[in-house]
Amino acid sequence: MTSAPTMTAARTATVRRIRPEDAARMRALRLEMLADAPLAFLETVAEAAARPHADYAARIAAVSRGAATAQFVADLGGRFVGHAGGTVVPEEPGLTVIYAVYLTPAWRGTGLLGELVDAVAAWSRACGRPELMLEVVVGNDRAYRAYQRLGFVDTGVRVPHPKIPTLRELQMRRPA
């Protein structure tokens, strides 16, 4: 039986902005994300698996630079074990929305989530956006508590889930 990584082990995963050459590894992580947490993301495993590699490569190249959207990965010596993205909201120029946050199950509780969010926050501040916002499916208490530990506060705003009408999401914010 293998044990879960420790807090010290989390430091062996390098958190960095994604690069164009990461497309295949990001595709593999995306499929894992969708299989593990199907309600948290906006497509199905089947939809993602059907998308051509060229589409992944174009998306990764686009988010590897610039100030509008960025993706960060936790790279464990060539295998991605975590991801968090950030994007600008035209209606709120001082805000970065964090999206597609994921950790491989064995890496949950190691501190790596904080490192990924910190990477998005640093990028957000560098782009002149001092606030972060994310949405969590109502009832996903584990994620809710994890974000609270990282300083996010429930705003009281509830919005419909973009794909599943019976679900609601709650918004949380914190300084970048």
Side-chain angles (χ1 to χ4, degrees):
M1 178 161 80
T2 59
S3 62
T6 63
M7 183 68 87
T8 303
R11 291 193 181 92
T12 65
T14 302
V15 174
R16 63 171 175 81
R17 189 162 185 180
I18 204 155
R19 299 186 291 248
E21 61 269 22
D22 294 330
R25 288 183 290 167
M26 187 58 225
R27 183 176 192 272
L29 183 64
R30 180 72 179 169
L31 294 174
E32 176 186 324
M33 293 163 65
L34 294 167
D36 183 58
L39 297 180
F41 307 106
L42 302 181
E43 68 180 338
T44 67
V45 173
E47 290 167 339
R51 191 172 328 114
H53 177 74
D55 289 359
Y56 277 95
R59 169 77 177 154
I60 297 308
V63 298
S64 69
R65 62 191 181 288
T69 303
Q71 291 183 7
F72 297 86
V73 291
D75 186 346
L76 183 65
R79 179 174 179 268
F80 294 163
V81 295
H83 174 274
T87 192
V88 68
V89 177
E91 305 83 48
E92 287 190 65
L95 178 69
T96 291
V97 174
I98 295 180
Y99 68 92
V101 178
Y102 179 77
L103 283 175
T104 295
W107 288 85
R108 295 174 188 161
T110 65
L112 198 50
L113 174 64
E115 292 181 40
L116 283 162
V117 170
D118 287 348
V120 176
W123 169 78
S124 183
R125 288 189 309 271
C127 295
R129 295 188 297 270
E131 188 175 18
L132 302 174
M133 189 269 287
L134 52 78
E135 294 175 342
V136 178
V137 172
V138 172
N140 186 347
D141 296 335
R142 181 182 172 123
Y144 181 82
R145 288 189 307 270
Y147 294 130
Q148 278 185 316
R149 285 190 296 274
L150 296 177
F152 285 89
V153 175
D154 187 341
T155 65
V157 174
R158 302 296 183 265
V159 296
H161 186 282
K163 291 283 222 176
I164 306 167
T166 57
L167 296 178
R168 309 261 317 145
E169 293 186 320
L170 61 89
Q171 292 183 351
M172 301 179 83
R173 292 182 182 233
R174 76 159 226 207

